[in-house]
Amino acid sequence: MIPNNIDVVITHEPPIMILDQSSGIHWGNAPLRNRILEAKPRYHLFGHAHNGYGILKQDGIVFSNAALLDDMNRLVRKPRLFMF
């Protein structure tokens, strides 16, 4: 239930095939990807796929996997700050 005309979407899961790989598995959600690409928020922030950490700009959307832990649940990354 992601509305249109929204700037930021925060989910636990990533969209499928966008910063969603961890331990050789794509953990993303296909319906989520479809809705995000349809709604076109400025930012989609998520985690869940630990090795997918990073930022990607695609179709005018900034995708950010902010997973701070590795697959052994050790803190290995620093948080990011987005200025809106």
Side-chain angles (χ1 to χ4, degrees):
M1 297 182 61
I2 298 169
N4 291 321
N5 302 317
I6 192 163
D7 290 326
V8 179
V9 173
I10 300 172
T11 61
H12 178 77
E13 271 186 313
I16 190 80
M17 305 305 287
I18 299 177
L19 303 173
D20 72 330
Q21 194 167 357
S22 193
S23 299
I25 298 170
H26 288 278
W27 296 96
N29 180 302
L32 176 61
R33 178 189 172 115
N34 293 340
R35 182 62 190 131
I36 291 293
L37 294 176
E38 184 179 284
K40 294 209 178 288
R42 291 177 54 201
Y43 297 89
H44 181 200
L45 313 176
F46 49 88
H48 188 59
H50 298 174
N51 294 336
Y53 177 84
I55 296 175
L56 172 71
K57 188 168 185 176
Q58 180 178 314
D59 297 320
I61 304 166
V62 175
F63 295 93
S64 175
N65 179 331
L68 302 180
L69 305 178
D70 65 11
D71 284 337
M72 300 300 292
N73 290 320
R74 296 175 295 210
L75 182 64
V76 294
R77 299 178 191 96
K78 294 182 181 180
R80 288 193 194 93
L81 175 64
F82 283 93
M83 302 295 284
F84 298 101

